Amino acid sequence: MSRPFYVTTPIYYVNDVPHLGTAYTTIVADALRRYHGLRGRETFMLTGTDEHGLKLEREAVSRGLSPKAFVDDMSARFRAAWPKMSVEADHFIRTTDPEHERLVQEVWKRVEQNGDLYLGSYEDWYCVGCESFKTEKELLAGNECPLHPGRGAEKVREETYFFKLASYADRLLNYYDAHPSFIEPESRRNEVISFVKGGLHDLSVSRASFSWGIPVPGNDKHVMYVWFDALANYWTALGGFGSDAERKYWAPNAEVVHLVGKDILRFHTVYWPAFLMSAGMPLPSKVFAHGFLTIDGQKMSKSLRNAVDPVRLAETPELAGADGLRYQLLRAVAFGQDGDFDHAAMVERYNADLGKNLGNLLSRTLGLCSKLTAGKAPAFDPGALPADIDRAFLRDRLELAGQVPQYWESLAPHLALEHTLRLASRANKYVDEAAPWAAAKAGNQPAIDAALGLLLEALKTLSELLWPAMPTKANELRKQLGLGPLSATVGADAWTMHNTRIDPLPGGHALAPSGALFPTIDKEREAELLSRLMPASTAPAALAPAAGGIPGHPSAIADSVAPAISYDDFAKVELKVGVVKTAEKVPKKDKLLKLTVDVGEPEPRTVIAGLALTFAPDALVGQRVIVVANLAPRDFGKGLVSHGMLLATGPSEKLVLATAPDSAEPGARLK
Ligand code: MSP
């Protein structure tokens, strides 16, 4: 049996909520876990949250919360989101878990004992968005980080522990050379190799100017650099040196695969292996970097990605719920490359692949069985098929199903699914070729039995091939075939036979049809669905909500009739009374005003509002307004971050502000 399989996602910063980008990696990890589990391997999947560092400390402060209260709340949102997408991680790690903190300190001590840390002082740029030091070479004009334009890197001057990264360059290059599949895809591997060949600098791995981090052992003036702490999670999650899980799931005993986005490749392929080498610990088997998703062709800005909520998509039964979302993400984008998540294409793909191809194959086959074989699987002999078309279909079924595993193995879920669906198309073609209804007219029972027997077997195989991507629908399909649900069983490979022989349902086995597995969506419902799901900023004009509210906010007040929401949905929105304290124009932005608004917190909040075409700044000072207080902060660039939104109605030049009477206290909640 193959080695156990250990797959990880990055641990997500909790200054954000789960979005399509983070859902993407997490769903791929879960699909891989399921695939390898179905092949009989022992599997372990890890995800979690990254909770230390300056970015989170500042975010908590800006919300008037303690860092711990803030991260507790945000981490819980990630933990609750993944099961809604049928992700069943074996462990959810938080970097504030005491056990993680203790074990990271162990790793630190090993690195220190190896002589790889020294105290020095640092003076250079730091991008809080990346939580990463930057050389001047890496910054744009005005010391802007290319990944976080508008925020400006900060000059840091402080005492720090350095890790002797420069001395690891040769060892890293030798390692990449000896392990060609350590970094994938190939283009990313080349990128990392040329980065390391360009020369490495020692890395600052502690900070002394803030305290939201894991204390450095023996010097509590310092906290560890957030990436030292974060990267170690992949190992601390297993329970530390010599624990059962560590012995089973860490390299070299297991195949350890880290899935990461291309933006965090260097941390995983340069820093992390160097830390491990220094601590005398084995390296993971593979770091696979995927590309970036755009939404309907647009870059995922913070406001846009928050407008496309993966949980909401997973809760859309019309598109097959969690399984539909999983299918779309896995199938639409070539893993490893940048790709687009296009809402209209999503409906089209649902209809074509799932409704008209797979779903249709199931209903046709079961419909024919209920007419021609009394709703039971027919008995037939695959070794003595009556016609050439039957033998040709059998050959193709073996070949197509046999091709699927190699794509899962090589982390190409989009190709695995493409080939899976090819089997469904081939089977649909075979229904037409075999025409069991014509055989029935001719009284040719052996032809009917062979065709329906082969088709039922193909459907059973399809349920197995689909299960890693669509576990719920695969099991529903099986239920209609009268079969029990699939689950991973250690040591039992559900797929070994797919390319060598078939395993038909026994003759007389009772089938259990129960309606369309993937009801198709007609044009009218498609338009309604798209207007519900697409953020206003990406919807074509005909679907976008009518103009109104605060320009630039996709969630602004629309004149159109919105679908009903539950009371619980409404209760999630925190509307508060605020008093405008200051207001000023934003240079070079005609529509925007920068306000500070007292919402009953220790400090007034900054709110950037599209009010300037209607109001002179002075006219707003002292106004009692209604503030959406728990809206995720929105970055307008150039250091302008809005912490809330005001309610208003009307076109941009004639806005009417929603206000509260003088008797309402700042901070009072509207309910
Ligand atoms: N906390 C670090 C990771 C530490 S791992 C030891 C971090 N967190 S993050 O929340 O900012 O990002 C997590 C992942 O989301 C990254 O892999 C990043 O590539 C991914 N994505 C963010 N936006 C994305 C898209 N638009 N598309 C696809 N993935 C994207 O970095």
Side-chain angles (χ1 to χ4, degrees):
M1 198 175 53
S2 325
R3 288 183 295 170
F5 178 75
Y6 175 29
V7 63
T8 67
T9 74
I11 45 172
Y12 303 117
Y13 286 133
V14 292
N15 64 324
D16 211 337
V17 287
H19 56 74
L20 216 55
T22 47
Y24 180 48
T25 332
T26 313
I27 286 171
V28 174
D30 183 74
L32 289 170
R33 172 189 74 79
R34 288 175 186 273
Y35 165 77
H36 289 288
L38 213 51
R39 304 301 312 265
R41 289 175 83 173
E42 289 185 283
T43 59
F44 194 87
M45 172 184 162
L46 177 69
T47 189
T49 44
D50 190 353
E51 305 182 10
H52 290 125
L54 192 54
K55 176 158 57 181
L56 295 175
E57 188 180 79
R58 285 189 183 165
E59 188 77 40
V61 169
S62 79
R63 295 179 191 218
L65 293 171
S66 73
K68 185 67 170 72
F70 173 60
V71 299
D72 281 353
D73 173 45
M74 295 299 286
S75 175
R77 299 181 197 212
F78 280 87
R79 195 192 287 266
W82 303 137
K84 295 185 181 158
M85 296 170 217
S86 297
V87 168
E88 292 169 14
D90 295 282
H91 186 54
F92 184 96
I93 191 168
R94 300 183 54 187
T95 53
T96 50
D97 289 338
E99 189 58 3
H100 167 78
E101 301 198 357
R102 186 181 73 74
L103 288 168
V104 175
Q105 290 183 325
E106 292 292 308
V107 177
W108 178 282
K109 284 188 215 153
R110 282 189 159 219
V111 170
E112 189 169 39
Q113 277 155 17
N114 197 34
D116 280 332
L117 296 176
Y118 63 94
L119 202 54
S121 75
Y122 188 87
E123 177 169 352
D124 218 332
W125 298 97
Y126 191 80
C127 169
V128 180
C130 294
E131 289 284 13
S132 176
F133 294 100
K134 302 276 167 176
T135 59
E136 243 152 49
K137 241 180 23 199
E138 291 172 304
L139 298 174
L140 307 173
N143 300 315
E144 300 235 322
C145 164
L147 296 177
H148 295 93
R151 282 211 214 163
E154 299 172 13
K155 193 81 174 185
V156 173
R157 243 180 243 107
E158 65 189 40
E159 182 186 81
T160 188
Y161 283 93
F162 281 101
F163 172 73
K164 292 183 185 168
L165 184 64
S167 69
Y168 279 87
D170 287 342
R171 269 174 281 182
L172 287 167
L173 288 169
N174 290 339
Y175 192 85
Y176 305 147
D177 200 38
H179 301 84
S181 56
F182 176 59
I183 305 170
E184 284 184 354
E186 178 79 21
S187 57
R188 298 287 167 210
R189 173 181 143 83
N190 296 337
E191 205 177 287
V192 174
I193 291 176
S194 57
F195 171 74
V196 176
K197 281 190 175 156
L200 296 177
H201 299 283
D202 287 353
L203 181 72
S204 163
V205 285
S206 75
R207 301 292 308 268
S209 56
F210 66 94
S211 58
W212 184 238
I214 300 182
V216 163
N219 187 349
D220 52 16
K221 275 202 316 222
H222 287 251
V223 292
M224 289 179 203
Y225 173 40
V226 62
W227 275 98
F228 189 98
D229 153 6
L231 287 162
N233 92 89
Y234 300 129
W235 177 82
T236 63
L238 298 177
F241 296 103
S243 73
D244 287 351
E246 197 240 11
R247 270 187 279 135
K248 186 189 275 184
Y249 289 114
W250 194 250
N253 299 344
E255 181 185 358
V256 181
V257 176
H258 296 323
L259 305 182
V260 302
K262 63 182 181 182
D263 54 328
I264 55 173
L265 183 66
R266 190 182 300 175
F267 298 96
H268 285 81
T269 55
V270 181
Y271 302 171
W272 177 225
F275 296 156
L276 286 169
M277 284 174 177
S278 172
M281 291 154 67
L283 268 53
S285 322
K286 189 189 299 299
V287 177
F288 190 100
H290 64 75
F292 262 42
L293 296 183
T294 49
I295 296 178
D296 299 325
Q298 293 187 29
K299 193 167 173 278
M300 254 196 235
S301 64
K302 198 155 178 174
S303 53
L304 178 58
R305 69 184 185 219
N306 289 343
V308 182
D309 177 1
V311 173
R312 193 152 156 241
L313 287 168
E315 288 174 345
T316 303
E318 295 92 329
L319 289 167
D323 281 37
L325 171 69
R326 292 169 67 100
Y327 180 76
Q328 299 288 347
L329 282 171
L330 293 166
R331 176 72 190 90
V333 183
F335 197 55
Q337 286 163 32
D338 291 340
D340 190 42
F341 185 89
D342 179 310
H343 282 82
M346 175 171 81
V347 178
E348 226 169 83
R349 194 176 299 108
Y350 168 87
N351 272 340
D353 293 5
L354 302 180
K356 294 189 181 133
N357 188 1
L358 181 63
N360 199 24
L361 176 67
L362 178 70
S363 25
R364 287 173 96 186
T365 306
L366 293 183
L368 286 165
C369 288
S370 79
K371 281 204 198 102
L372 306 178
T373 59
K376 298 199 168 29
F380 74 108
D381 179 359
L385 293 169
D388 282 350
I389 45 159
D390 306 323
R391 287 185 286 274
F393 175 65
L394 175 59
R395 263 196 314 277
D396 289 350
R397 139 73 187 82
L398 290 171
E399 194 188 321
L400 285 166
Q403 283 170 355
V404 173
Q406 63 185 306
Y407 298 115
W408 284 111
E409 300 285 341
S410 60
L411 283 91
H414 58 294
L415 295 178
L417 289 173
E418 187 190 316
H419 284 79
T420 301
L421 268 292
R422 266 194 213 169
L423 173 57
S425 315
R426 177 64 183 92
N428 267 315
K429 185 166 163 247
Y430 175 60
V431 179
D432 299 335
E433 289 169 352
W437 51 90
K441 271 199 189 141
N444 186 352
Q445 196 62 36
I448 297 172
D449 291 349
L452 295 181
L454 285 173
L455 287 165
L456 288 169
E457 196 280 341
L459 280 161
K460 172 169 163 261
T461 301
L462 281 165
S463 76
E464 290 164 16
L465 299 179
L466 282 170
W467 186 79
M470 297 202 284
T472 309
K473 285 291 174 186
N475 282 341
E476 279 176 25
L477 193 165
R478 292 176 71 79
K479 200 164 172 206
Q480 299 212 25
L481 295 178
L483 296 169
L486 281 172
S487 60
T489 310
V490 175
D493 183 350
W495 282 19
T496 34
M497 75 299 179
H498 282 336
N499 56 347
T500 51
R501 63 181 185 84
I502 61 164
D503 183 26
L505 299 177
H509 171 94
L511 305 166
S514 63
L517 190 59
F518 299 105
T520 49
I521 297 167
D522 61 27
K523 281 284 157 213
E524 201 177 312
R525 275 178 59 224
E526 175 178 341
E528 183 273 323
L529 200 57
L530 288 178
S531 67
R532 187 148 41 98
L533 294 176
M534 282 175 86
S537 58
T538 68
L543 295 174
I550 309 285
H553 281 267
S555 52
I557 305 161
D559 297 337
S560 60
V561 181
I565 57 168
S566 68
Y567 178 78
D568 286 349
D569 282 339
F570 171 68
K572 288 182 199 154
V573 184
E574 197 179 38
L575 296 174
K576 283 188 173 176
V577 175
V579 177
V580 179
K581 293 291 177 195
T582 61
E584 58 187 91
K585 286 196 172 252
V586 176
K588 295 192 194 146
K589 301 273 181 196
D590 297 351
K591 294 184 180 170
L592 298 185
L593 291 181
K594 179 179 172 191
L595 314 174
T596 56
V597 184
D598 174 7
V599 277
E601 294 164 347
E603 292 292 324
R605 293 196 188 191
T606 300
V607 175
I608 311 296
L611 302 173
L613 298 182
T614 304
F615 299 100
D618 286 353
L620 291 170
V621 176
Q623 289 271 11
R624 245 157 237 263
V625 290
I626 311 294
V627 182
V628 183
N630 62 336
L631 198 64
R634 180 164 182 224
D635 194 341
F636 283 80
K638 304 265 180 263
L640 286 177
V641 180
S642 185
H643 296 273
M645 185 174 99
L646 307 193
L647 298 188
T649 184
S652 305
E653 310 75 29
K654 279 192 186 165
L655 285 169
V656 179
L657 205 55
T659 52
D662 288 351
S663 54
E665 286 295 321
R669 179 144 188 207
L670 281 89
K671 355 184 216 201

